[in-house]
Amino acid sequence: MENISQIGVTTIRKEAWDKVTGNAKYNSDDIRPNTLQAKILTSTIAHGLIKSINIEKALNSKGVQAVITGDYYPALTGSIINDRPPIAKDKVRYFGEPVAVVIANSEEEAMAGVNLIEVEYTPLPVVASVTEALKPNATLIHENLGYYYCPDYTVYPVAHTNIADHVKIRKGNMDLGWSESDVIVESTLYLPKSDHLAMETRNTMAEITPSGIVNIYTSSQSPFAVKEELNKIYKIPEGNIIVHTPLVGGAFGGKAAIHLEYLAYLASSAVDGRMVRITNTREDDITISPSKIAAEGKLKIGATKDGIIKALECTYYIDCGAYADTGPRMAKSIAIDCSGPYNIENIHCDSISVYTNHGYVTSLRGFGHGVCTFGIERLLDKLASKLNMDPFDIRIKNAIAEGNKSPTQDIITLSNTGNITACLLKLKQVMNWNEGNIIKTDKGTIITKGIASLWKTSNSPTNASSGVVLTLNDDGSINLNFGASEIGPGMKTTIAQILAERMKMDVENIHVFMDVNTQITPKHWKTVASMTTFMVGNAVLNAAKDLINQLKEIGGIALKCSQDDLEIANQKIYVVHRPDIFISFKDLVNGYQYSSGKSIYGQIIAKGSYITSGLTPLDKETGKGKSANSWTVAAQAVEIEYNPENYSYRLLKAATVIDAGKVINPKAARGVVMGGMSMGLGLATREDLIYDKEAILQNSSLRTYKLLRFGENPEYIVDFIETPQIDAPYGARGIAEHGTIGIPAAFANAMSLAVGTEFDTLPISNEVIWKTKTGGKYDSF
C-alpha cells in the first residue's frame, strides 16, 4: 500500500494560519472580566537592608485591594539552590528586585499605589563584578549560603563566600601535555549580561477557586515545573494546581525560570483567590526578570609545531547575579564542553559560579555554550596565526572523531556526536574560503571572514521525562497531546510529522492540542535544551507503537486473521499479502461491533513515555561522568566589510553548516537556525546590559538597549550534514539553539583580522573599534 514519507518534507506549521491571521491566542490575550491587576515596586538600590516599608498610603489609594511585601508568606525558592525570596524580605540584592506588590482594579490604580509606597534602605557595599566578589573579605551577598537547601544535590555552595558552585574537569596529564607542546598561547575573555527580548514579555494570571484549585495561566517553557515548585514552596496539594500555557510569544530560555508565577499566586491569595494578572512592561522584563549570564575567562592552550593540540587549561567565572537560578548548571555546561568539538587529551578546567549584585540570571539560547565556544574559538585563531596555519586546517586537524573522549571522558561516536569535519569542509565551500579570508577592496575597505566550530550537549536531570497520549476521532484522524510549550520553533508540528511517519499517514490528519494544561496534558520536563524532538519524539514513537498494537489486535478480530499478518498505512489496517483486505481506522475508533450487534474493546487510547537513561552525575573532583546522550556539532562563519577610515563595518554574510542527524522539516529547520544566527550577531555587535559602579542598570528600555535592525542583517546561508543519531527519532538531533552559539566567536575572529587588533570582549561596536584604535580620542580635529 503506497505511502508518502512525512520526514524531510517541508510542512506548514499547525499553528501557522492562526499566527499569520492574528487569530492565535497568547496568554496576554486572555482578557477576563473582574480580573485584578498587579504591579511591582522594585528596589532602587542594588544592595541594602530594608529598614522600613510604609504601605499605608497605597492601601488607602483608589482601587487598591491589597498590598503584599516580603513578610507575606515568606519562602525561599530556586531550582538549584533555594536562595531567592519571591519578594525581598529584610534585604535587597539587585537593582529591580521586587519589594512589594500592589493589587488593584486596574493597572493605572495599581501603579498609582506603587508610587505611594515609602521604603527606607540602609545601603550595603555593592559587589559589582566577579573580581570584587572573589576578593578576600568581600562583602557577602548571602550570609546564610551554607544553610540554604539545594534541590540539586550535585551543587556545592561554599559557605562564607560568594561562590555558588565550582565545577572541575580533570582529564589526562597536564604536565605531559605542556611538555609535548612546542607553542603555548594564552587568552582572556569577557562576555556581558544581555536580555532575551522575546516579543511577548513575561506575564502570568492566577486564581484560587472556592474548592481550592489554583489555576495559573502563564507564558512559560516549563509549566510542569511551575506546578511542582508551587507544591514544594507553598505546600499546595499538587493535584490542586493546574497550569495553563497557550502559545508562547518567544522565550529563548528566559521563560524556563519561575518568577511571576510565585507573585501572581501570592497576589491572588491576598485578595481571597480572585483572578490577578501580572504583566511585565518591556522595562520590567529587562530589569526585574532574569537575564543571560555574564562571564570572565582565562585560557591557555598548548600545541605541537604542526598544530596538534596537547593541553588546554581554562578558568571561567560565571556572574550569576544576586541569585543562582540555573547559573551553576550553565557553569557546568561550560565545563563539560570546554574543549569545543576537538580532541584534547589533557584538560584542566574550572567553572565557578559567583554571586554579584547584578540582576539574577537564567538560561539563554545555548545554555552557557556561547561562553566556552567564544573562549576556545578565539584561542584557536590565535594559535593558527602563531603557527602560520589556515584557521580551517587547525580545526580539521584537531576535530573530534569516533573513539575520542569528551572532557568528561565519555566515548565519542558518529552517532552520538555527528561529523564536525564534514561540517567544516562544507562551510569552506559555501564561504568560498579559497579566495582568501582577507581581501582589500578598491574602495579602501577590508573584507574578512571568520570561522568557529561548536558543539552542544544537553545538561538535563538524569530522570527528565516526557509523555504522549493519542486518541482517535470518528473519521480515523489522530489527536496528539503532549506537554511541550510551543515557543516558536514549530515543535508541535515536528512531533506531528514523526507520528505521521510512524503511522504511515498524512500529517494533515494529525490534530495537535496546542496548549498545555497540566491536568490533562502528559508531563514534559521542560521545553528547553534542544531536547524536545529527542524526548517527545521518542515518547510519541512509543505511543504510536501502543496504538499500532491496539489497532492490530482489534483489526485481527475484525479481519479474522493473525495480528502478525497485518500492517497499517493511510489510516487502514490491512493484510500484508492482500492489501485489498483491510478495515479503516474510523471503523475501530470506539471498538468493533459484530454483525450480531455485540461490541468489544471500546475506545482506543494510546500512550507512550520516555525517560533519559544512562546519565550520571559528574565526579566532584574530576568531572568524569555522562551528562547527556549526544552532542550536535556545527561550523559557522561570518563575513564583514570593514572601513578603516571611520572604524565602521557591514555584515555581509553569515553561514552555518550543522549536523542535524536527519532534517525533519527543512524550511522550519533553516528558519530556526537562521533566527539563532541573527540573535548571535546581535550579541556580537551591540547587545549588553550596562551597569554603573553601584550596579544600577543603565539601559532598561529598547531606546537604550539596541537590537540588530532588519536592514542590518547579512545574507544568511544554512546547510546541513545528516549523520543519524541511532537512538533519536528518525536520527534527528536538536538544532534549536545552535545557530546562536558560534556566531559571536566567528564575528570576533573576522573583526580581529580586519582591524589588526585582538577582540576578546563583546559586544564589538563601531565605538569599541574607534576606542581601541584611537584610545578614545577624537583624531579629526
Side-chain angles (χ1 to χ4, degrees):
M1 188 171 287
E2 187 179 355
N3 176 64
I4 298 174
S5 177
Q6 304 296 305
I7 298 295
V9 178
T10 293
T11 302
I12 295 175
R13 289 189 192 181
K14 292 291 183 177
E15 79 280 18
W17 287 108
D18 283 340
K19 284 184 173 179
V20 300
T21 59
N23 191 56
K25 296 296 185 288
Y26 298 86
N27 202 57
S28 292
D29 295 319
D30 189 354
I31 307 299
R32 303 187 182 198
N34 302 317
T35 297
L36 299 177
Q37 305 292 328
K39 299 298 289 185
I40 304 169
L41 174 70
T42 61
S43 169
T44 56
I45 64 172
H47 199 198
L49 300 176
I50 302 173
K51 190 174 180 180
S52 66
I53 301 181
N54 188 335
I55 62 173
E56 193 69 27
K57 292 179 183 177
L59 277 172
N60 294 322
S61 179
K62 178 186 175 184
V64 172
Q65 301 296 314
V67 179
I68 57 176
T69 65
D71 291 322
Y72 183 81
Y73 214 143
L76 291 177
T77 70
S79 61
I80 293 178
I81 303 173
N82 281 176
D83 60 0
R84 181 172 63 86
I87 305 173
K89 183 179 186 299
D90 303 326
K91 182 179 181 179
V92 295
R93 295 180 173 89
Y94 72 94
F95 170 77
E97 183 167 8
V99 173
V101 178
V102 177
I103 306 103
N105 294 331
S106 68
E107 274 194 274
E108 293 80 4
E109 290 169 333
M111 199 65 241
V114 163
N115 292 331
L116 291 172
I117 298 175
E118 298 169 349
V119 185
E120 188 176 354
Y121 300 101
T122 301
L124 295 171
V126 171
V127 180
S129 69
V130 294
T131 302
E132 292 178 33
L134 295 172
K135 285 180 179 178
N137 302 316
T139 298
L140 296 181
I141 295 170
H142 293 273
E143 299 85 349
N144 297 318
L145 181 59
Y147 299 99
Y148 288 152
Y149 171 65
C150 298
D152 185 336
Y153 66 92
T154 66
V155 170
Y156 309 99
V158 182
H160 312 300
T161 74
N162 289 313
I163 297 175
D165 192 32
H166 181 175
V167 180
K168 302 175 184 177
I169 297 293
R170 305 290 186 264
K171 177 190 175 188
N173 183 327
M174 294 304 295
D175 290 337
L176 177 63
W178 296 127
S179 69
E180 293 178 341
S181 299
D182 301 312
V183 175
I184 293 176
V185 177
E186 298 187 55
S187 184
T188 61
L189 66 83
Y190 174 73
L191 305 182
K193 284 162 61 68
S194 56
D195 197 74
H196 301 78
L197 266 296
M199 289 182 70
E200 178 196 24
T201 61
R202 298 165 177 94
N203 63 96
T204 299
M205 294 191 300
E207 68 171 351
I208 306 167
T209 69
S211 59
I213 299 298
V214 177
N215 282 304
I216 305 290
Y217 302 83
T218 184
S219 178
S220 173
Q221 295 173 253
S222 50
F224 289 91
V226 171
K227 178 176 180 174
E228 291 164 8
E229 290 302 309
L230 287 174
N231 162 251
K232 291 176 186 176
I233 302 301
Y234 298 111
K235 311 305 178 188
I236 310 164
E238 197 168 336
N240 282 15
I241 305 168
I242 306 173
V243 182
H244 310 256
T245 296
L247 296 173
V248 176
F252 312 117
K255 293 174 182 173
I258 303 166
H259 183 216
L260 297 185
E261 293 85 356
Y262 294 129
L263 300 181
Y265 165 71
L266 292 173
S268 179
S269 69
V271 290
D272 300 321
R274 289 183 62 183
M275 183 79 80
V276 178
R277 177 192 292 279
I278 301 181
T279 300
N280 276 353
T281 63
R282 180 59 66 188
E283 288 76 10
D284 292 338
D285 225 39
I286 295 174
T287 306
I288 302 172
S289 294
S291 64
K292 166 185 165 288
I293 58 172
E296 296 181 19
K298 298 178 181 178
L299 299 93
K300 183 168 72 169
I301 199 166
T304 63
K305 59 187 177 183
D306 56 351
I308 301 298
I309 300 172
K310 289 296 181 178
L312 171 67
E313 183 178 312
C314 46
T315 303
Y316 292 102
Y317 299 100
I318 308 308
D319 184 347
C320 293
Y323 301 106
D325 199 76
T326 54
R329 196 166 285 148
M330 284 183 278
K332 176 186 170 187
S333 289
I334 290 166
I336 62 180
D337 280 345
C338 63
S339 66
Y342 307 109
N343 180 40
I344 305 177
E345 295 179 354
N346 306 298
I347 299 175
H348 184 290
C349 176
D350 293 288
S351 190
I352 302 166
S353 304
V354 183
Y355 288 114
T356 69
N357 286 126
H358 293 146
Y360 76 105
V361 300
T362 191
S363 51
L364 183 139
R365 212 170 192 173
F367 204 71
H369 283 78
V371 175
C372 56
T373 300
F374 190 86
I376 191 71
E377 294 302 317
R378 287 292 297 122
L379 202 56
L380 278 183
D381 255 38
K382 293 176 183 180
L383 179 61
S385 176
K386 192 163 187 176
L387 292 171
N388 198 27
M389 289 183 66
D390 185 294
F392 266 105
D393 293 343
I394 199 164
R395 287 169 171 84
I396 291 171
K397 182 169 284 195
N398 292 284
I400 203 155
E402 200 156 31
N404 297 154
K405 289 185 178 180
S406 74
T408 63
Q409 302 181 54
D410 198 5
I411 299 294
I412 299 299
T413 68
L414 274 176
S415 169
N416 70 17
T417 305
N419 192 332
I420 183 60
T421 299
C423 292
L424 282 163
L425 292 174
K426 181 167 277 192
L427 181 71
K428 195 172 184 178
Q429 282 183 315
V430 301
M431 288 300 293
N432 194 18
W433 189 262
N434 291 334
E435 72 175 358
N437 62 339
I438 181 164
I439 302 169
K440 295 184 178 180
T441 72
D442 296 338
K443 301 180 292 182
T445 60
I446 303 168
I447 294 175
T448 58
K449 303 171 187 177
I451 62 168
S453 299
L454 67 100
W455 68 346
K456 182 189 180 296
T457 189
S458 60
N459 190 5
S460 67
T462 56
N463 63 347
S465 64
S466 293
V468 169
V469 170
L470 306 175
T471 57
L472 275 71
N473 299 304
D474 286 344
D475 62 358
S477 61
I478 299 176
N479 300 314
L480 170 60
N481 190 1
F482 59 93
S485 304
E486 181 50 76
I487 60 176
M491 292 311 309
K492 299 280 189 178
T493 305
T494 299
I495 302 303
Q497 286 181 261
I498 292 170
L499 176 59
E501 179 73 7
R502 184 63 186 90
M503 298 303 297
K504 298 180 181 178
M505 60 189 288
D506 195 314
V507 72
E508 293 300 316
N509 292 316
I510 306 291
H511 304 290
V512 186
F513 183 57
M514 279 292 166
D515 296 355
V516 175
N517 177 319
T518 59
Q519 188 175 44
I520 61 174
T521 304
K523 180 179 178 180
H524 173 61
W525 166 55
K526 293 179 182 179
T527 312
V528 297
S530 301
M531 287 183 68
T532 306
T533 298
F534 180 76
M535 292 182 64
V536 183
N538 276 317
V540 83
L541 288 176
N542 289 331
K545 181 179 179 181
D546 182 27
L547 179 57
I548 290 167
N549 288 340
Q550 292 187 55
L551 287 168
K552 284 186 176 180
E553 180 181 347
I554 192 170
I557 295 170
L559 297 174
K560 299 177 181 178
C561 66
S562 169
Q563 298 176 40
D564 296 335
D565 293 333
L566 297 177
E567 190 50 88
I568 65 162
N570 300 318
Q571 296 171 260
K572 297 175 182 178
I573 304 102
Y574 64 92
V575 178
V576 174
H577 59 277
R578 285 288 307 276
D580 58 315
I581 300 175
F582 65 86
I583 188 168
S584 297
F585 286 7
K586 62 186 178 64
D587 297 321
L588 302 176
V589 169
N590 297 303
Y592 179 68
Q593 187 176 48
Y594 290 102
S595 57
S596 64
K598 180 181 177 181
S599 298
I600 60 167
Y601 210 89
Q603 182 183 3
I604 294 177
I605 302 172
K607 61 181 176 60
S609 62
Y610 174 81
I611 189 167
T612 52
S613 60
L615 307 186
T616 65
L618 302 186
D619 181 88
K620 183 180 179 181
E621 297 304 321
T622 67
K624 186 176 182 179
K626 187 178 179 67
S627 65
N629 290 311
S630 65
W631 289 260
T632 298
V633 295
Q636 298 188 294
V638 174
E639 181 178 318
I640 64 167
E641 183 177 15
Y642 170 64
N643 187 340
E645 287 191 7
N646 59 14
Y647 315 110
S648 66
Y649 60 84
R650 290 193 306 129
L651 300 169
L652 300 180
K653 189 182 297 183
T656 297
V657 178
I658 185 168
D659 193 333
K662 177 64 180 177
V663 179
I664 302 290
N665 189 340
K667 188 170 283 188
R670 283 187 170 84
V672 76
V673 173
M674 189 183 299
M677 295 162 72
S678 180
M679 191 172 194
L681 287 171
L683 296 173
T685 62
R686 67 206 64 203
E687 291 188 51
D688 65 341
L689 292 176
I690 301 169
Y691 291 88
D692 67 13
K693 63 181 181 179
E694 296 300 320
I696 305 300
L697 184 62
Q698 300 298 296
N699 56 337
S700 59
S701 79
L702 291 180
R703 290 183 294 274
T704 51
Y705 185 99
K706 300 298 185 181
L707 291 171
L708 194 69
R709 295 174 294 187
F710 182 79
E712 295 171 309
N713 281 278
E715 173 192 357
Y716 290 107
I717 300 170
V718 179
D719 212 336
F720 299 100
I721 300 293
E722 293 186 319
T723 309
Q725 181 182 330
I726 58 176
D727 60 339
Y730 298 103
R733 304 180 193 282
I735 60 171
E737 300 170 88
H738 303 74
T740 300
I741 296 171
I743 289 292
F747 173 80
N749 287 337
M751 188 57 70
S752 297
L753 189 62
V755 180
T757 301
E758 299 294 351
F759 289 100
D760 296 314
T761 295
L762 293 180
I764 307 169
S765 64
N766 294 340
E767 182 180 2
V768 166
I769 299 169
W770 167 72
K771 285 182 178 180
T772 301
K773 298 298 288 184
T774 68
K777 299 176 181 178
Y778 288 99
D779 56 359
S780 55
F781 295 98

